[in-house]
């Protein structure tokens, strides 16, 4: 409900407020601080997602992941700054030599969305493999950007108008303009629009990573814990769809926190009053039903 409504305000108080749960909440606080910094660090945000996902992850492991990105960047030939063949050199290094690529089975693994695991396994979803490419290339001085096409994520180099694209999921295969059009048509049934070719900002990339995690958890009701923390991290981003507040409320009810879920539904209904009164009424009914489940 509330599709299309966005908010650029801090999320309501809840488990993400940074109190009372030790190190796990510290990771969330660090995520929020990084996400709202002047120049958010994409690699750090993705690594902090992994720290929230896996309570056994230590700061040493996150530091080691950053060091690995630095190491890979150091392996790129310095002459690439002169030749400009970033796509070819990265494909040779990351794709052929280091073995970063994806396979269909990766879509069924939560680890495929966690950067520290992708660096360890050399496998991941297109967007996480693209993050590896972007972070290695950025450290080496490349003019790199991420491109979030509908249904697939790729990387680009230089002027976005030139469409110098590569697909890290395919080991760095070059993506032509015709390939990009086919990807969009296959995913949406629509033609490629120039607005789809705008480089993705770190916040948008991180939100898409978290959306993938939520999509992974959706058909697995036993992993509603994953869906919940993915929603809560999304709410810590400076800009996010307002409907995520309602999704969080539904998850709380699903997990048996009826009063808290109902309260958040009612808070979201107040947001919706101004844009969709009919939906707001429906949400209030669902809040009442959630409270009734306590009886």
């Amino acid at each position: 409900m509330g599709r299309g409504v966005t908010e650029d305000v801090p999320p309501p108080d809840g488990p993400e407020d940074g109190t009372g749960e030790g190190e796990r909440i510290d990771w969330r606080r660090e995520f929020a601080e990084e996400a709202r910094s002047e120049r958010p660090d994409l690699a750090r945000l993705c690594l902090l997602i992994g720290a929230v996902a896996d309570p056994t992850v230590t700061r040493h492991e996150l530091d080691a992941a950053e060091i690995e990105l630095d190491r890979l960047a150091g392996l790129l030939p310095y002459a690439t700054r002169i030749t400009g063949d970033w796509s070819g050199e990265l494909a040779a290094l990351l794709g052929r030599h280091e073995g970063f690529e994806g396979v269909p089975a990766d879509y069924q693994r939560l680890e495929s969305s966690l950067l520290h695991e992708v660096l360890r396994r050399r496998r991941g979803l297109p967007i996480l493999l693209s993050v590896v490419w972007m972070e290695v290339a950025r450290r080496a001085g490349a003019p790199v950007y991420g491109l979030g096409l509908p249904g697939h994520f790729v990387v680009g180099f230089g002027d976005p108008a030139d469409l110098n694209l590569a697909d890290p999921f395919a080991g760095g295969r070059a993506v032509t303009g015709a390939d990009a059009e086919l990807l969009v048509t296959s995913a949406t049934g629509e033609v490629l629009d120039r607005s789809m070719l705008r480089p993705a900002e770190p916040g948008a990339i991180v939100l898409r990573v978290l959306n993938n995690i939520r999509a992974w958890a959706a058909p697995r009701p036993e992993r509603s814990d994953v869906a919940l923390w993915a929603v809560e991290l999304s709410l810590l981003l400076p800009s996010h769809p307002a409907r995520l507040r309602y999704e969080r409320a539904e998850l709380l009810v699903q997990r048996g926190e009826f009063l808290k879920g109902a309260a958040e539904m009612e808070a979201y209904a107040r947001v919706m009053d101004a844009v969709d009164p009919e939906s707001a009424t429906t949400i209030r009914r669902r809040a009442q039903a959630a409270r009734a489940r306590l009886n």
Side-chain angles (χ1 to χ4, degrees), residues 21-225:
E21 290 189 24
E23 182 69 9
R24 179 170 179 266
I25 293 299
D26 287 341
W27 293 129
R28 296 186 184 208
R29 186 185 303 116
E30 290 185 25
F31 179 91
E33 291 171 353
E34 186 64 44
R36 293 169 184 274
S37 65
E38 186 176 350
R39 299 185 65 180
D41 186 302
L42 177 60
R44 179 163 174 76
L45 286 170
C46 289
L47 289 171
L48 287 169
I49 290 173
V52 173
D54 183 357
T56 69
V57 168
T58 65
R59 193 173 299 279
H60 174 75
E61 288 175 281
L62 299 194
D63 291 342
E66 295 265 16
I67 291 170
E68 174 66 359
L69 291 170
D70 292 340
R71 183 189 73 84
L72 292 169
L75 295 177
L76 282 169
Y78 185 82
T80 312
R81 294 171 179 261
I82 300 171
T83 66
D85 186 21
W86 294 105
S87 181
E89 292 293 351
L90 282 160
L93 172 64
L94 298 180
R96 292 192 291 277
H97 185 267
E98 295 289 337
F100 284 96
E101 63 179 352
V103 295
D106 291 324
Y107 284 89
Q108 303 306 315
R109 301 181 63 126
L110 176 60
E111 296 97 323
S112 299
S113 290
L114 308 179
L115 181 56
H116 70 290
E117 288 287 352
V118 172
L119 287 167
R120 180 182 67 84
R121 297 176 56 240
R122 271 31 182 180
R123 294 289 186 273
L125 296 188
I127 191 169
L128 266 297
L129 291 168
S130 294
V131 168
V132 172
W133 270 58
M134 284 187 289
E135 288 300 307
V136 170
R138 180 181 63 81
R139 284 164 167 76
V144 65
Y145 60 91
L147 190 60
L149 296 171
H152 204 65
F153 203 99
V154 297
V155 296
F157 300 91
D159 187 340
D162 294 337
L163 288 184
N164 180 14
L165 308 176
D167 183 359
F169 191 75
R173 178 181 62 85
V175 177
T176 66
D179 293 331
E181 290 182 5
L182 182 59
L183 284 170
V184 171
T185 301
S186 300
T188 67
E190 301 176 358
V191 298
L192 177 68
D193 186 276
R194 297 300 297 184
S195 65
M196 300 176 184
L197 301 177
R198 286 196 292 265
E201 296 296 326
I205 295 173
V206 171
L207 182 60
R208 186 159 170 164
V209 170
L210 291 167
N211 287 346
N212 287 338
I213 293 172
R214 289 165 45 231
W216 177 88
R220 298 173 171 86
E222 73 280 4
R223 298 312 312 269
S224 63
D225 60 317

